[in-house]
């Protein structure tokens, strides 16, 4: 994407912030109509699905609902580029040597876990990637005051990402290529893998001294503990959290320990910048490029102020793999009145259990925290896996419920999963933790999704 095109996007999103609701709705309708037209012109799946619709569609409620299972089941018909196929995409994502490269020389690819019961492979064109980057810049503009920006610049402008690296994860669709491959980055941008032992991450952060820290909430909560203990000694001006949620007290603790501004985002592989936080604790939908529809179990609209059963997502940016009125599976609450922060975009909150760090005991009975997101990703990388669910059964044991992919050998999949979990735990000093296979199938939550990690306290609740 050219510098000129990026500049155009930045001007466009700035205009979207300042225009009123009527112009914003008109902008979205125009983009939706273009996305629908492109989809049914170039995607056999959507051509069939939309065969009875009028030529112009500017309202998502007229569209049929899609989901990951139906789309992945017809992957080759879903995509709009005939050179893209499921066979090629799987071969690409299964090859670690291709991490940090473009699929077919022009696309980024991210994989998702099977929290909905189906693993996903998502392909993004350059336009979609550029939109995500532009929205990220808008987020930082809303999170940082002029004094913060000046302090960050004076401090060297260093940014550290503590995220999943070395695989075709969702983060690989937006992070710089050098970081995705090996975390090296540059003098001002550094990537640290969540799979690394905590002491190594602490040492690297102490050397790098980031002005901005970006990471999974569970991992940053562990780093806050290291800061409290005096082993980590950094002074970020801004801490950006993603992935797992924390309790309100958890967010407050991180802000207090690092003496920093805390920002949060709502992201999914299907759209990596769906909503961003404000100072009042709400998430504001990037409504100029994504449409979120909170609905009940029958896919009927849910009024503001009530939690939805699920939410339907429409990505207005990506053309190569259209995601239109897609059942994301998250429960959303829409704020019924204007947010005090003054944002023109709809304010929401995501319902779900907060996930703090898993606590195990090492061989000396010392408590050791493990980031749940990193553990889930370690399991998720196993070849031949459709879905896995990790259940902590004691402070020194966990079990894994495994659902192999079609035609995959269950024993072979388990033999891939078990040593990787042992290796990951061992790097955290937990060689003593027992890892066993649970013969039960992964269990769905009340909302229909699969929780990939079930901590000890919640596992006990399920038993009782």
């Amino acid at each position: 994407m050219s510098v000129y095109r990026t500049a155009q996007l930045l001007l466009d999103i700035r205009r979207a912030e300042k225009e009123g609701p009527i112009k914003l709705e008109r902008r979205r309708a125009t983009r939706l109509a273009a996305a629908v037209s492109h989809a049914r012109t170039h995607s056999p799946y959507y051509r069939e699905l939309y065969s009875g619709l009028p030529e112009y569609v500017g309202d998502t409620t007229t569209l049929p609902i899609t989901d990951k299972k139906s789309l992945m089941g017809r992957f080759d018909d879903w995509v709009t580029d005939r050179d893209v196929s499921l066979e090629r995409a799987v071969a690409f994502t299964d090859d670690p040597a291709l991490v940090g490269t473009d699929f077919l020389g022009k696309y980024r690819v991210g994989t998702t876990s099977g929290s909905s019961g189906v693993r996903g492979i998502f392909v993004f064109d350059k336009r979609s990637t550029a939109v995500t980057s532009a929205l990220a810049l808008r987020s930082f503009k809303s999170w940082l005051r002029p004094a913060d920006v000046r302090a960050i610049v004076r401090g060297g402008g260093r940014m550290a990402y503590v995220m999943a690296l070395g695989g075709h994860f969702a983060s690989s669709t937006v992070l710089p290529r050098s970081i995705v491959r090996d975390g090296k980055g540059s003098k001002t941008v550094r990537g640290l893998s969540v799979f690394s032992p905590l002491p190594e991450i602490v040492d690297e952060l102490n050397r790098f001294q980031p002005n901005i820290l970006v990471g999974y909430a569970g991992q940053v909560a562990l780093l806050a503990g290291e800061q409290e203990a005096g082993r980590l000694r950094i002074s970020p001006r801004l801490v950006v959290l993603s992935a797992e949620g924390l309790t309100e007290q958890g967010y407050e603790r991180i802000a207090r320990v690092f003496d920093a501004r805390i920002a949060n985002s709502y992201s999914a592989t299907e759209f990596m910048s769906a909503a961003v936080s404000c100072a009042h604790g709400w998430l504001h939908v990037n409504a100029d490029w994504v449409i979120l529809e909170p609905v009940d179990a029958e896919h009927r609209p849910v009024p503001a102020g009530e939690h939805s059963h699920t939410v339907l997502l429409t990505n207005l940016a990506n053309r190569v793999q259209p995601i239109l009125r897609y059942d994301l599976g998250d429960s959303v609450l829409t704020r019924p009145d204007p947010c005090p922060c003054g944002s023109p975009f709809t304010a929401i909150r995501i319902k779900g259990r907060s996930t703090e760090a898993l606590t195990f005991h090492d061989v000396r009975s010392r408590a050791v925290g493990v980031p749940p997101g990193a553990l889930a990703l370690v399991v998720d990388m196993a070849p031949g896996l459709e879905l896995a669910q990790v259940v902590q059964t004691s402070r020194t044991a966990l079990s894994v419920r495994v659902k192999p992919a079609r035609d995959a050998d269950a024993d072979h999949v388990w033999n891939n999963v078990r040593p990787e979990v042992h290796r990951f735990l061992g790097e955290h000093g937990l060689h003593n933790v027992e890892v066993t296979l649970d013969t039960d199938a992964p269990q769905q939550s009340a909302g229909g999704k699969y929780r990939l990690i079930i901590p000890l306290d919640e596992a006990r609740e399920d038993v009782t």
Side-chain angles (χ1 to χ4, degrees):
M1 185 64 66
S2 68
V3 173
Y4 174 72
R5 178 57 175 154
T6 302
Q8 283 184 314
L9 284 170
L10 290 173
L11 288 173
D12 177 84
I13 64 173
R14 182 174 176 80
R15 285 195 296 268
E17 280 186 292
K18 295 183 177 301
E19 62 192 11
I22 295 177
K23 287 186 177 180
L24 177 61
E25 187 56 41
R26 189 180 303 150
R27 176 190 296 266
R28 294 204 309 176
T30 300
R31 285 177 176 162
L32 174 64
V36 170
S37 176
H38 183 87
R40 60 178 165 189
T41 300
H42 300 283
S43 163
Y45 173 83
Y46 280 109
R47 187 179 307 126
E48 175 185 324
L49 187 66
Y50 293 167
S51 60
L53 296 181
E55 181 177 352
Y56 179 86
V57 176
D59 181 0
T60 55
T61 61
T62 64
L63 299 176
I65 292 165
T66 61
D67 57 35
K68 191 191 298 183
K69 183 177 181 179
S70 60
L71 293 172
M72 285 300 300
R74 294 189 57 186
F75 187 95
D76 292 358
D77 290 334
W78 171 22
V79 293
T80 62
D81 183 341
R82 296 300 96 207
D83 289 334
V84 176
S85 68
L86 182 60
E87 182 179 6
R88 285 182 170 182
V90 169
F92 180 82
T93 56
D94 281 350
D95 189 346
L98 296 177
V99 172
T101 66
D102 286 336
F103 175 49
L104 301 181
K106 53 185 174 180
Y107 300 123
R108 291 200 176 196
V109 176
T111 59
T112 67
S113 63
S115 61
S116 64
V118 179
R119 291 170 65 83
I121 298 178
F122 293 91
V123 183
F124 299 92
D125 53 35
K126 292 183 178 179
R127 176 175 182 261
S128 176
T129 302
V131 167
T132 300
S133 298
L135 292 175
L137 291 174
R138 179 165 73 186
S139 302
F140 280 97
K141 177 178 174 291
S142 68
W143 291 332
L144 295 171
R145 298 166 300 188
D148 297 317
V149 175
R150 290 193 293 270
I152 288 170
V153 172
R154 286 196 302 268
R158 291 181 296 276
M159 180 183 297
Y161 293 92
V162 185
M163 307 192 81
L165 304 178
H168 297 280
F169 307 112
S171 57
S172 68
T173 66
V174 293
L175 292 177
R177 288 306 194 196
S178 59
I179 289 180
V180 171
R181 284 193 297 271
D182 50 32
K184 289 183 179 179
S186 65
K187 290 182 179 180
T188 57
V189 182
R190 188 71 51 83
L192 305 174
S193 175
V194 293
F195 306 124
S196 300
L198 190 59
E200 290 184 12
I201 297 174
V202 169
D203 288 344
E204 184 62 28
L205 288 173
N206 282 334
R207 286 193 293 270
F208 188 61
Q209 288 296 309
N211 307 110
I212 299 174
L213 177 65
V214 182
Y216 304 136
Q219 181 75 55
V220 176
L222 291 176
L223 291 173
E226 295 296 293
Q227 183 92 351
E228 286 178 312
R231 291 182 289 270
L232 179 62
R233 299 173 297 279
I234 61 175
S235 301
R237 193 81 177 193
L238 174 68
V239 178
V240 183
L241 306 173
S242 63
E244 315 103 344
L246 298 174
T247 62
E248 183 176 348
Q249 293 77 14
Y251 288 116
E252 291 174 352
R253 171 175 171 261
I254 291 172
R256 182 184 70 256
V257 169
F258 288 112
D259 190 23
R261 297 176 67 84
I262 302 297
N264 198 6
S265 64
Y266 174 44
S267 301
T269 309
E270 293 85 347
F271 194 92
M272 283 298 293
S273 187
V276 295
S277 66
C278 71
H280 294 269
W282 289 86
L283 294 162
H284 290 273
V285 179
N286 285 316
D288 44 342
W289 284 104
V290 65
I291 299 173
L292 296 181
E293 300 174 69
V295 293
D296 64 16
E298 303 300 322
H299 294 136
R300 296 171 300 199
V302 170
E306 296 182 14
H307 281 288
S308 69
H309 175 77
T310 186
V311 64
L312 307 178
L313 181 147
T314 295
N315 183 330
L316 298 174
N318 199 24
R319 291 287 188 266
V320 67
Q321 197 180 37
I323 298 173
L324 305 169
R325 219 159 187 236
Y326 172 95
D327 190 336
L328 195 58
D330 292 330
S331 178
V332 170
L333 180 144
T334 302
R335 184 178 178 125
D337 58 338
C339 184
C341 77
S343 171
F345 299 125
T346 300
I348 63 172
R349 281 183 176 155
I350 311 303
K351 182 181 179 181
R353 291 199 181 199
S354 300
T355 303
E356 307 287 347
L358 298 175
T359 301
F360 291 95
H361 289 165
D362 66 11
V363 69
R364 297 182 182 179
S365 297
R366 295 175 299 188
V368 178
V370 172
L375 178 56
L377 288 169
V378 166
V379 175
D380 192 56
M381 286 190 291
L385 182 70
E386 177 68 29
L387 174 65
Q389 190 172 60
V390 177
V391 182
Q392 185 182 15
T393 53
S394 77
R395 294 300 179 195
T396 57
L398 61 80
S399 63
V400 186
R401 299 165 180 164
V402 173
K403 178 185 177 184
R406 182 187 301 180
D407 300 327
D409 179 75
D411 290 337
H412 181 70
V413 172
W414 173 239
N415 288 334
N416 287 328
V417 170
R418 188 171 184 273
E420 288 303 308
V421 174
H422 267 303
R423 179 192 59 77
F424 175 75
L425 293 173
E427 289 180 346
H428 286 76
L430 294 168
H431 301 278
N432 59 304
V433 173
E434 182 182 16
V435 179
T436 59
L437 175 65
D438 188 333
T439 56
D440 289 341
Q443 305 294 310
Q444 287 176 285
S445 65
K449 297 192 81 171
Y450 291 86
R451 297 201 65 215
L452 305 182
I453 304 291
I454 301 178
L456 179 59
D457 292 344
E458 294 173 26
R460 286 170 175 166
E461 289 175 9
D462 290 342
V463 172
T464 57

